[in-house]
Amino acid sequence: MNGLFIVGTPIGNLHDITLRALVTLESVGLILTEDTRTTRKLLSAYELKTKLLSYTEQNHRHRLPRIMKALDTMDVALVSEAGMPRLSDPGAELVIEVISAGASLDTIPGPSDITTADPHASFPINEFTYLGFLPKNKAKRIHTLSTIKHQERPTLIFESPHRLQKTLETLIEVLGNRAVTICRELTKLHEEVFHGSLSDAIDKFAEPRGEFTLIVDASEFPNPTMNETEAFLEINRLSSIGFSPSQAIAQTVQNTTLSRRELYKKWLSKFRDSAVDDPAN
């Protein structure tokens, strides 16, 4: 029996493919892929002609016998739509079957949203918990997040645009308002990295687009100590000693229950004549 190659592919920028991955994708007899259109685009960029076969969450059990038979005569590569296979994709059953059959298994390392997002964290992240995509059902999401509420390490989560707001709301509901780093469209043309609180993120991504990787800090912000009046006085105090309104509000908001945008709007309404710019943008 021949071997299965687990091949990492770019998560956005096609230049992130490794030389070893290109050699492997050219030499195997068959490439299994979640999305043939995405993989064909990659192969075309490097003038590779290897045959593709769709291997998805919907058809992977049906495809499995055919793939195992193909291994009798050729090497096979498994790629995901982007990044490393087996992380939030249907590759697990195939890998287990290949190991059980005694075929060889090789990993060709490549890009990953996890290792690409990790360095962007605005807090220590020597270790973390990876949850992938949270359950669609709210009760199951709450249960999953409850299991990591008291852990002492950050949590990394993947999310799609149409579910991002619900996930952020559930995170606050279960974990409290924590610091978060959110990476959008990593390595792509419109890459964006956000640092702030979960409540600020709800305002920031009111109309989310693209794919998201969230890194949530291990601890909740300290309990707020300022009411609105005290917050306004603190903003004015900081402004009087040289802080810009943006800096003063960013410094003060951590001691309130408000998001940065909410605090700015309330402060601007009360002290409109002295406002010079919008620090929430």
Side-chain angles (χ1 to χ4, degrees):
M1 184 173 287
N2 292 276
L4 177 70
F5 292 86
I6 311 297
V7 182
T9 55
I11 59 177
N13 192 318
L14 295 183
H15 291 162
D16 288 337
I17 191 73
T18 68
L19 293 175
R20 188 180 173 205
L22 289 175
V23 169
T24 302
L25 294 177
E26 183 177 32
S27 64
V28 299
L30 179 67
I31 299 173
L32 311 175
T33 175
E34 276 189 286
D35 190 326
T36 55
R37 294 167 299 178
T38 300
T39 305
R40 188 170 286 112
K41 180 180 177 181
L42 173 64
L43 297 185
S44 297
Y46 292 97
E47 300 181 350
L48 304 182
K49 307 292 186 181
T50 311
K51 182 179 178 180
L52 299 176
L53 178 66
S54 170
Y55 187 73
T56 68
E57 188 66 39
Q58 292 71 36
N59 70 19
H60 69 283
R61 290 186 177 87
H62 171 72
R63 297 281 200 211
L64 194 55
R66 175 181 173 183
I67 295 166
M68 296 306 297
K69 185 174 182 180
L71 283 167
D72 289 334
T73 58
M74 66 180 72
D75 289 327
V76 176
L78 172 68
V79 302
S80 62
E81 184 176 355
M84 287 300 300
R86 284 206 65 174
L87 295 176
S88 301
D89 76 11
E93 287 191 20
L94 173 60
V95 170
I96 292 169
E97 186 70 18
V98 165
I99 292 172
S100 298
S104 66
L105 181 71
D106 285 293
T107 297
I108 314 299
S112 167
D113 284 280
I114 296 173
T115 52
T116 306
D118 186 300
H120 285 287
S122 59
F123 36 81
I125 188 168
N126 293 326
E127 56 180 347
F128 60 87
T129 295
Y130 167 70
L131 294 182
F133 289 94
L134 293 176
K136 295 179 181 180
N137 178 273
K138 183 176 180 180
K140 291 181 179 179
R141 279 203 308 277
I142 290 174
H143 173 74
T144 298
L145 292 175
S146 296
T147 65
I148 55 95
K149 182 174 183 177
H150 301 294
Q151 70 174 13
E152 297 181 357
R153 63 179 68 89
T155 300
L156 193 146
I157 297 167
F158 291 160
E159 199 48 274
S160 59
H162 67 279
R163 290 175 46 188
L164 180 65
Q165 284 283 316
K166 290 182 179 178
T167 292
L168 291 170
E169 291 168 2
T170 309
L171 283 165
I172 293 176
E173 179 181 344
V174 179
L175 304 180
N177 197 21
R178 301 187 178 192
V180 63
T181 293
I182 299 180
C183 302
R184 184 178 77 87
E185 296 288 86
L186 282 168
T187 79
K188 299 177 184 177
L189 180 63
H190 300 292
E191 176 179 314
E192 179 182 12
V193 178
F194 166 84
H195 301 293
S197 67
L198 289 168
S199 58
D200 282 336
I202 289 177
D203 290 335
K204 169 67 177 178
F205 297 106
E207 297 180 356
R209 295 182 179 180
E211 300 299 321
F212 295 83
T213 303
L214 289 69
I215 309 174
V216 185
D217 200 3
S219 57
E220 189 175 354
F221 286 125
N223 290 329
T225 57
M226 292 183 183
N227 58 34
E228 263 186 37
T229 300
E230 291 169 334
F232 293 155
L233 290 173
E234 178 64 7
I235 293 170
N236 288 340
R237 184 189 71 81
L238 292 171
S239 297
S240 71
I241 61 174
F243 282 68
S244 69
S246 174
Q247 293 169 328
I249 288 175
Q251 181 83 5
T252 305
V253 73
Q254 300 178 38
N255 294 314
T256 76
T257 59
L258 301 173
S259 72
R260 186 180 302 188
R261 186 175 296 276
E262 289 171 327
L263 181 58
Y264 169 75
K265 287 181 177 179
K266 289 178 180 291
W267 176 79
L268 180 60
S269 178
K270 190 171 181 64
F271 300 100
R272 185 173 299 275
D273 292 341
S274 62
V276 294
D277 64 345
D278 183 346
N281 290 331

